[in-house]
Amino acid sequence: MKVPVFIFLLLFYVDCSAQNLLLNGSFEDVNTCTEYNIECAPEAWISSDNGFDNYFKDAGRAHTGQYCLAIEAGHVTRPYERTFLRSQLICRLKKGNRYRLEFFIKSFHPILDSIGVYFGSMDPLLERKPIYRLAPTLFLKDGANNFIRDSSWQKAVLDYTATGKEVYITIANFSRNDISGSTGLRRENHFFAFIDDVSFKPLDPNERLCDNWQQVKEDIYDQNERHQYLDRVLRMRRNDSLYRILTLSPTTVVVADTLLLPDVLFASGKKDLRKESLPLLDSFCRSMQGKIIDSLVIEGHADNTGSIALNERLSIERAQSVADQLLSCQPLANKSIIMRGWGSRLPVAPNDTPANRQRNRRVVLMVYFRE
């Protein structure tokens, strides 16, 4: 009996390993606030100040797209007046694993080294300390960031080792010293730093998002309070100890095993499998018993003889033949099978001899297991 398997045909490479643990880092998804029913803030991000003041729709100001956010790092006449940006991670980090935070930042003022990042288990909107009294997890100056005295966009990169307790990320000016003096800008009393295109990804390419990340996204996007309603919600939640620490599902680490089907297991120049291949595929199926399978990738390859179109068609057809043979493999029932036809683009040897060309004609099976 054949078992249904979800199959995706791809003629090009799709990178599924780079998983952003922050939502809407470009700020292009716009939140329509409950209070005024207008677009005044980005989805998934909340400012400690009124959203009207720091969410800018201006393609000329943004790094990419139409929108960017600003944090107030100081004020000319109001000591220690600062704002911060906060968002929630969608999965729990793995303790000891490394992650990379990247974003673009610019300011008219020489304040970028004072900008920092704070990871915490409590929503910073519920913290009772002012932002400058919090000890940041990282300052931008801690990374390999050589900022120049320029008001153009500059890339910030920070690598971080997780404790496993992170839920929220906060970006702000964490300097203990206040910013004072003139901004140097006519009629502007705020010392602004603008931020755009934020990403936070695991450095381990085998680390994937948690299974429920889409539900978490929906929950985060459903929070539409941004002004006085947000203040009301926060007042209620400050006395709710259960709200302070959310329980996020952990990211998953996927490991892979590989099986190579050489050209000799296929009819010459055709997609059909020879009968000699069947014991090998049966053994492969049996080896999957009891394993937590995430997905199976089947990649077909050809040599460089013949046309490009012919090689790509043959490589994907051979991958399809292998997938068809595995339809009755019970451990793969309801698992996704991703097929890629590379043609002659990824040779393992120079196409200069018959033996090397035969090495390049192959099908590779890569099965990914969840930990």
Side-chain angles (χ1 to χ4, degrees):
M1 178 180 177
K2 290 188 176 182
V3 179
V5 177
F6 297 107
I7 298 176
F8 303 90
L9 297 176
L10 299 180
L11 294 176
F12 51 88
Y13 176 65
V14 178
D15 183 3
C16 298
S17 62
Q19 306 285 3
N20 197 346
L21 290 153
L22 289 171
L23 297 170
N24 196 25
S26 64
F27 313 130
E28 297 299 304
D29 292 345
V30 184
N31 171 274
T32 300
C33 64
T34 304
E35 297 90 327
Y36 305 110
N37 195 33
I38 60 175
E39 297 179 343
C40 62
E43 295 281 16
W45 292 82
I46 294 179
S47 170
S48 58
D49 191 21
N50 191 313
F52 292 115
D53 295 336
N54 67 350
Y55 189 40
F56 295 89
K57 182 179 182 181
D58 182 352
R61 190 193 302 264
H63 177 253
T64 59
Q66 297 287 321
Y67 294 91
C68 65
L69 279 172
I71 56 175
E72 184 180 345
H75 194 278
V76 170
T77 61
R78 296 192 284 268
Y80 285 98
E81 177 168 310
R82 300 178 186 180
T83 63
F84 61 81
L85 304 179
R86 154 278 202 210
S87 190
Q88 179 192 315
L89 304 180
I90 56 175
C91 300
R92 188 171 79 242
L93 308 184
K94 291 194 171 295
K95 182 179 180 179
N97 279 20
R98 299 277 288 169
Y99 300 83
R100 176 161 292 172
L101 176 68
E102 296 182 346
F103 57 88
F104 286 85
I105 187 168
K106 70 176 180 178
S107 179
F108 180 81
H109 318 287
I111 58 175
L112 298 188
D113 285 347
S114 298
I115 306 300
V117 178
Y118 175 73
F119 290 103
S121 58
M122 179 187 290
D123 189 336
L125 295 168
L126 297 175
E127 290 275 7
R128 298 185 183 276
K129 295 179 181 179
I131 193 67
Y132 64 88
R133 292 193 180 279
L134 291 178
T137 310
L138 298 166
F139 276 110
L140 295 195
K141 63 183 179 182
D142 295 333
N145 301 302
N146 296 314
F147 298 119
I148 60 175
R149 294 287 298 271
D150 193 343
S151 60
S152 62
W153 285 105
Q154 301 185 61
K155 188 174 185 179
V157 180
L158 291 169
D159 289 346
Y160 172 67
T161 301
T163 66
K165 298 180 180 179
E166 300 83 358
V167 178
Y168 297 96
I169 181 174
T170 305
I171 304 175
N173 170 24
F174 288 95
S175 174
R176 294 283 178 158
N177 299 319
D178 190 26
I179 297 176
S180 59
S182 172
T183 65
L185 300 173
R186 186 170 178 266
R187 295 183 179 179
E188 180 58 76
N189 292 326
H190 302 85
F191 290 89
F192 277 133
F194 296 89
I195 293 173
D196 203 355
D197 293 330
V198 186
S199 70
F200 188 53
K201 299 178 181 179
L203 288 176
D204 180 355
N206 294 319
E207 187 172 347
R208 309 290 179 87
L209 296 183
C210 48
D211 292 335
N212 68 335
W213 72 268
Q214 289 176 310
Q215 181 59 54
V216 175
K217 175 181 178 179
E218 291 180 13
D219 293 342
I220 293 174
Y221 273 41
D222 283 344
Q223 185 178 7
N224 296 320
E225 304 90 357
R226 288 296 188 274
H227 309 286
Q228 67 268 23
Y229 285 5
L230 178 60
D231 293 337
R232 188 181 305 172
V233 169
L234 293 175
R235 283 196 299 271
M236 290 188 296
R237 289 175 174 170
R238 278 194 174 92
N239 296 321
D240 183 0
S241 60
L242 295 178
Y243 176 78
R244 293 184 176 225
I245 300 179
L246 294 177
T247 301
L248 299 179
S249 298
T251 59
T252 60
V253 175
V254 179
V255 295
D257 199 1
T258 302
L259 175 68
L260 173 67
L261 295 179
D263 176 60
V264 294
L265 296 181
F266 294 87
S268 178
K270 297 181 179 180
K271 65 179 182 179
D272 305 308
L273 281 162
R274 295 182 184 275
K275 63 180 181 179
E276 291 85 358
S277 67
L278 303 185
L280 181 61
L281 291 175
D282 287 343
S283 176
F284 169 78
C285 179
R286 290 193 299 272
S287 71
M288 298 296 104
Q289 294 286 349
K291 296 182 178 180
I292 304 175
I293 299 171
D294 178 77
S295 59
L296 174 67
V297 177
I298 305 176
E299 297 185 336
H301 301 267
D303 61 26
N304 67 347
T305 58
S307 68
I308 294 175
L310 178 64
N311 288 333
E312 290 195 345
R313 184 170 69 250
L314 179 61
S315 64
I316 196 66
E317 286 179 348
R318 284 187 168 184
Q320 176 74 68
S321 296
V322 175
D324 290 343
Q325 186 61 39
L326 292 172
L327 285 174
S328 59
C329 180
Q330 184 59 39
L332 295 177
N334 301 318
K335 306 299 181 185
S336 64
I337 294 182
I338 301 171
M339 291 187 296
R340 299 171 181 149
W342 287 105
S344 60
R345 285 174 285 170
L346 296 177
V348 294
N351 285 291
D352 54 357
T353 66
N356 281 343
R357 286 192 290 273
Q358 187 175 59
R359 288 178 62 194
N360 289 330
R361 300 190 298 267
R362 67 205 189 276
V363 172
V364 181
L365 285 73
M366 294 171 288
V367 61
Y368 291 88
F369 310 103
R370 289 185 179 270
E371 60 179 2

